[in-house]
Amino acid sequence: MANKLPLAKHLIRSVLVTGTNRGIGLELVRHFAKERRAGQDIKIISCSRTISPELEELLEDVYHFELELTRPADVASVAGVAANILEDRGLNVLINSAGILRMGQGVTGCSHEELKEVLDTNLIGVHSMTSAFHPLLKQAAPSAGVFNISAEIASIAGTNIANKTAYRISKAALNMLTKITAAEFRRDKIMALAIHPGWVQTDLGGPKAPLTPEQCVQDLVECIENCGRKDSGKFVKKGLVEIPY
């Protein structure tokens, strides 16, 4: 069964993660670096606005770029350098993990500036990354996928309160972008999923969250390694359980 999965562990030879200076993104890089040290033939590319001391400790196993996702020209430049790094293997896994949270409440409590700031990173930045790295994903297909870190509170069907307005809107739009990506990239045998990581002990999730970053990443990696063509375009959480859009 495992051999039929497009992104079974042994088929993942390259991965790019955004938002890697902290939180889930950092833990994803740490996970793949550990796999590399254990003997997996994998090239790891990390992108974040700044580099943290925790990320700096991993650089022996990682290619890192300080990248502002809201600048399309910078994204395109990194994609060009990444093509040289990855050579003939292309890009198996693109994980768009970078995201910001602002706390404006409802329509009247969320400013234009706040909404624009959050959309720029959580949506438009993901669009830039996905578009720029499409050729490298296509090169690695059929073992290739785009995995967008979403949030269950972005479910339109499940929304009945008006908090975290800009964040909810940005992630709901990200889910639509994921659906469109899956529809367009189907022709190239590239999958796309939106994944809810759970409530995690990060700067965004806070210390009361039930999941550690390590537990969260274990769940995310299991989703990536066990998803199949039938899952492309879905909004899922742990165990590939589908969430209503």
Side-chain angles (χ1 to χ4, degrees):
M1 178 66 177
N3 291 335
K4 296 181 180 179
L5 296 173
L7 285 164
K9 181 177 178 178
H10 69 285
L11 296 175
I12 298 177
R13 300 178 62 230
S14 56
V15 59
L16 186 153
V17 187
T18 66
T20 54
N21 63 320
R22 59 194 173 103
I24 295 171
L26 173 63
E27 196 59 40
L28 281 161
V29 170
R30 189 176 283 130
H31 168 85
F32 289 113
K34 183 178 179 181
E35 295 294 313
R36 185 177 184 276
R37 290 174 194 149
Q40 185 174 348
D41 177 22
I42 184 170
K43 289 189 176 182
I44 307 158
I45 298 176
S46 155
C47 297
S48 61
R49 287 175 175 167
T50 58
I51 184 166
S52 63
E54 294 84 0
L55 179 58
E56 197 165 5
E57 292 175 1
L58 302 172
L59 293 187
E60 185 177 339
D61 298 287
V62 175
Y63 298 93
H64 178 73
F65 296 93
E66 291 192 22
L67 175 64
E68 175 52 71
L69 296 179
T70 60
R71 297 173 183 161
D74 292 358
V75 172
S77 177
V78 168
V81 178
N84 293 327
I85 292 170
L86 298 175
E87 300 176 309
D88 62 349
R89 67 181 66 197
L91 180 62
N92 294 120
V93 175
L94 170 60
I95 305 176
N96 289 305
S97 177
I100 60 174
L101 170 67
R102 298 293 180 261
M103 300 301 291
Q105 306 285 315
V107 175
T108 57
C110 175
S111 70
H112 172 87
E113 291 76 19
E114 180 176 311
L115 183 59
K116 185 177 185 301
E117 178 193 17
V118 174
L119 285 170
D120 276 349
T121 296
N122 295 4
L123 175 67
I124 298 171
V126 174
H127 173 272
S128 295
M129 289 294 296
T130 305
S131 178
F133 282 88
H134 173 244
L136 291 174
L137 290 160
K138 187 175 179 179
Q139 186 179 350
S143 296
V146 179
F147 300 91
N148 295 328
I149 303 303
S150 187
E152 194 163 19
I153 65 170
S155 170
I156 294 172
T159 297
N160 52 24
I161 57 176
N163 65 349
K164 301 174 183 174
T165 298
Y167 185 76
R168 285 177 182 268
I169 290 171
S170 71
K171 293 298 187 178
L174 176 64
N175 290 347
M176 177 57 83
L177 177 61
T178 305
K179 193 78 171 176
I180 290 170
T181 302
E184 180 184 356
F185 288 9
R186 185 184 301 119
R187 67 191 180 196
D188 299 320
K189 296 183 171 62
I190 301 167
M191 297 184 300
L193 272 77
I195 307 179
H196 167 59
W199 184 14
V200 188
Q201 295 167 15
T202 62
D203 289 351
L204 267 67
K208 295 182 180 180
L211 289 177
T212 65
E214 294 87 354
Q215 291 169 323
C216 164
V217 165
Q218 186 60 44
D219 294 341
L220 289 174
V221 171
E222 286 180 3
C223 284
I224 291 169
E225 293 180 353
N226 290 290
C227 65
R229 299 285 168 211
K230 67 183 187 305
D231 300 307
S232 191
K234 291 181 178 178
F235 179 24
V236 301
K237 57 184 176 181
K238 179 180 179 178
L240 292 171
V241 174
E242 195 166 1
I243 301 170
Y245 274 115

